[in-house]
Amino acid sequence: MAHTRIRKFNTRDTYPEQRLDNDLCQAVIAGNTVFLRGQIGQDLDTRESVGVGDVAAQAEKAMANVAMLLQECGSELSHICKLTVYLIDVRYREDVYKVVGRWLKGVFPVSTGIIVSALARPEWLVEIDVTAVIPD
């Protein structure tokens, strides 16, 4: 089975303040399955953080990124199967899930929510990880 990698990048460009050198991508298509990299409040083209200090704005940008990447892969939000939401504070849960719920109304994916001590950058408050399919 061939794998297609979408939006390849190197971590030295994404995290210039850290001494990293990892070749990654935003999405992998394997057969009819799409695996997305965890999405955060970041513009994928400029690498600028958005919604700093505003968890709902970060969730909104993360979901917009998810929608854009799925479209680039030949899928869409309605084909999301699994969703994992990482929060750095349980008090952000309601704000984030309201945003996610608006984007995924009627989709009914399985979902896991996890509270973590931190994400890759201190300004990131939420990360959303998605697995979807490309319909036949």
Side-chain angles (χ1 to χ4, degrees), residues 2 28 59 79 87 108 135:
V28 173
H79 299 298
L87 300 170
F108 302 99

Side-chain angles (χ1 to χ4, degrees), residues 53-100:
D54 183 344
V55 72
Q58 289 186 25
E60 192 71 39
K61 183 59 177 171
M63 289 305 298
N65 287 348
V66 166
M68 178 180 63
L69 289 167
L70 289 176
Q71 183 178 25
E72 289 178 15
C73 293
S75 187
E76 59 187 45
L77 293 172
S78 66
H79 299 298
I80 291 176
C81 299
K82 173 77 168 114
L83 175 81
T84 304
V85 177
Y86 300 88
L87 300 170
I88 66 155
D89 190 321
V90 70
R91 293 172 291 188
Y92 295 148
R93 187 174 188 274
E94 189 173 339
D95 289 337
V96 168
Y97 277 82
K98 284 180 180 178
V99 171
V100 171

Side-chain angles (χ1 to χ4, degrees), residues 8-116:
K8 296 176 185 177
F9 68 95
N10 187 286
T11 52
R12 74 178 160 267
D13 301 321
T14 303
Y15 305 100
E17 74 282 3
Q18 301 173 19
R19 285 179 268 174
L20 301 174
D21 185 14
N22 303 95
D23 292 327
L24 301 174
C25 64
Q26 294 293 338
V28 173
I29 304 168
N32 74 331
T33 304
V34 179
F35 302 93
L36 295 188
R37 180 175 194 255
Q39 295 301 306
I40 39 75
Q42 183 182 52
D43 184 295
L44 294 181
D45 294 320
T46 66
R47 297 185 182 97
E48 295 292 322
S49 291
V50 299
V52 175
D54 183 344
V55 72
Q58 289 186 25
E60 192 71 39
K61 183 59 177 171
M63 289 305 298
N65 287 348
V66 166
M68 178 180 63
L69 289 167
L70 289 176
Q71 183 178 25
E72 289 178 15
C73 293
S75 187
E76 59 187 45
L77 293 172
S78 66
H79 299 298
I80 291 176
C81 299
K82 173 77 168 114
L83 175 81
T84 304
V85 177
Y86 300 88
L87 300 170
I88 66 155
D89 190 321
V90 70
R91 293 172 291 188
Y92 295 148
R93 187 174 188 274
E94 189 173 339
D95 289 337
V96 168
Y97 277 82
K98 284 180 180 178
V99 171
V100 171
R102 222 177 38 258
W103 280 86
L104 298 182
K105 190 72 175 169
V107 176
F108 302 99
V110 296
S111 177
T112 301
I114 302 172
I115 308 302
V116 297

